[in-house]
Amino acid sequence: MRKIPALVMLAALGFSTAATAQEVTLRAVTAFAEKTTYSRGFERFIEKVNATGKGIIRINYIGGPKAMPPFEVGNALKSGVIDMANTTGAFYTNLMPEADAWKLRQVPMAEVRKNGGFDYMAAIYAQKMNAVFLANFVGDNPFHLYLNKKIASPDLAGLKLRITPVYRDFFQAMGGTVVQTAPGEVYTALERGVVDGYGWPITGVFDLGWNEKTKYRVDPGFYTAEVSVLINKTTWDKLTPQQKDVLQKAGAEGEAEGVGEFAKLNAADAERQAKAGIETITFDAVGAKRYYDQAYETGWAGIVRQSPEHGPKLKGFFSKAQ
Ligand code: 173
């Protein structure tokens, strides 16, 4: 028998795989309630992928926190129980504390993709999460402290506050007592008076009715929310270039859209809060600067404490030029 040259053999195999490639289906979960602010970008992304990827790739949207607790989505993604997740770094710090550093990003996402920061993070995602970070759907979108008791200065002594890892170091540094909960437990915690306030971005307070149980918002905002699509890396590595392309295109479009979208949403939600009777608490110029600076100082200190190896590098990539 004549030997078939290896190259011909490979080409034939490659051809037959491409010719018979099946539509792949990916299982997806969101860590935020379905059809609310931080799931909407993901839901648009799914629609786009399912339209442009017809016959090539399909996303099976399993749903949100009713299907899976938000703080377990990271584990499920890493292990391959799900293929795709819409979530935020603060929800999987147990696996990758560095992911919470996205909140400290002060330069546009597009710049992080160019300055080496994205590649640096991608390597950590591969190593610690077995994941590919596809796209961030949230533009600049500051966090705030919401309260039901008035404060005159950045002093949270005697106050109990609902947190995630986003706010922990900052609120504790101001003397607050903190309790971590998933977003789905905030309403009840406020209603029962279990907490005197909570951390949350400028947008989304109305999604779960928290406006009914919120008296004050403290200004200025600090940090920026990050909510992104992650893909299990084992799944990703098995996709064809064509399948990857569908995901990457829809991801890049969503990331670009998020920038303008959140600029509008931030302004609209601030106005809606004022109309709903949520009063703003502000400090004098010195107090406001101290508050804002303390947010970043305590935030970075927390990241560096948890990741002495990567924290200082990430600070270089994510911070505004001094
Ligand atoms: O407060 C939170 O639950 C939180 O950490 C978060 C992160 C990104 C967007 C919205 C909320």
Side-chain angles (χ1 to χ4, degrees):
M1 224 177 87
R2 274 176 52 201
K3 266 192 171 168
I4 305 167
L7 207 64
V8 174
M9 186 80 173
L10 275 177
L13 275 176
F15 179 77
S16 72
T17 311
T20 60
Q22 299 283 311
E23 181 185 77
V24 69
T25 300
L26 306 184
R27 283 158 304 170
V29 162
T30 174
F32 294 90
E34 287 169 53
K35 298 191 168 71
T36 61
T37 304
Y38 296 99
S39 289
R40 236 167 252 139
F42 184 53
E43 288 162 355
R44 282 201 304 266
F45 166 84
I46 292 174
E47 278 174 27
K48 202 171 275 180
V49 168
N50 287 348
T52 62
K54 221 171 179 52
I56 302 166
I57 186 163
R58 200 177 70 81
I59 298 171
N60 173 16
Y61 186 30
I62 295 166
K66 285 190 190 121
M68 186 179 289
F71 292 101
E72 280 170 31
V73 171
N75 278 321
L77 182 85
K78 181 179 179 179
S79 66
V81 166
I82 55 173
D83 302 299
M84 181 180 279
N86 177 65
T87 185
T88 184
F91 291 0
Y92 52 89
T93 52
N94 56 322
L95 300 171
M96 178 179 164
E98 296 86 356
D100 191 34
W102 286 119
K103 72 186 180 193
L104 300 163
R105 179 181 61 78
Q106 291 174 309
V107 297
M109 198 62 199
E111 194 176 321
V112 172
R113 285 194 180 266
K114 286 188 211 131
N115 75 8
F118 186 86
D119 295 339
Y120 193 91
M121 272 299 233
I124 309 175
Y125 273 93
Q127 188 207 338
K128 298 196 174 180
M129 287 289 291
N130 185 34
V132 170
F133 183 104
L134 190 75
N136 169 18
F137 291 154
V138 179
D140 288 344
N141 180 231
F143 291 100
H144 285 264
L145 167 62
Y146 296 87
L147 290 175
N148 282 327
K149 289 184 181 155
K150 210 163 189 166
I151 54 169
S153 67
D155 178 1
L156 306 182
L159 296 181
K160 195 160 174 193
L161 306 158
R162 174 272 172 185
I163 57 145
T164 67
V166 165
Y167 327 92
R168 180 178 289 120
D169 293 297
F170 181 34
F171 290 0
Q172 280 184 332
M174 291 188 286
T177 302
V178 298
V179 49
Q180 174 159 308
T181 83
E185 289 155 40
V186 172
Y187 187 94
T188 310
L190 290 167
E191 189 174 42
R192 295 189 183 156
V194 171
V195 295
D196 304 302
Y198 58 96
W200 190 259
I202 187 69
T203 53
V205 165
F206 293 86
D207 285 340
L208 301 177
W210 303 344
N211 51 298
E212 294 166 13
K213 304 284 168 199
T214 304
K215 290 202 181 115
Y216 308 104
R217 184 188 72 240
V218 177
D219 282 2
F222 52 90
Y223 309 157
T224 185
E226 164 272 329
V227 179
S228 306
V229 182
L230 309 179
I231 302 174
N232 174 279
K233 194 172 179 309
T234 313
T235 300
W236 176 260
D237 289 341
K238 284 189 213 146
L239 298 178
T240 65
Q242 202 186 9
Q243 288 165 339
K244 287 179 183 169
D245 193 54
V246 171
L247 295 175
Q248 274 165 332
K249 279 214 176 94
E253 282 171 21
E255 187 167 295
E257 281 165 21
V259 176
E261 184 194 6
F262 273 88
K264 283 190 209 129
L265 285 178
N266 294 347
D269 262 45
E271 198 182 319
R272 196 171 166 201
Q273 286 181 20
K275 284 202 178 120
I278 298 175
E279 289 175 45
T280 56
I281 293 175
T282 55
F283 309 120
D284 60 22
V286 173
K289 186 176 181 324
R290 196 155 38 97
Y291 178 81
Y292 188 83
D293 289 348
Q294 192 177 20
Y296 281 90
E297 281 160 23
T298 56
W300 276 120
I303 296 294
V304 172
R305 184 182 69 240
Q306 292 172 81
S307 184
E309 183 190 356
H310 301 306
K313 290 264 194 192
L314 293 173
K315 190 173 181 186
F317 290 126
F318 288 0
S319 301
K320 245 185 335 225
Q322 296 295 316

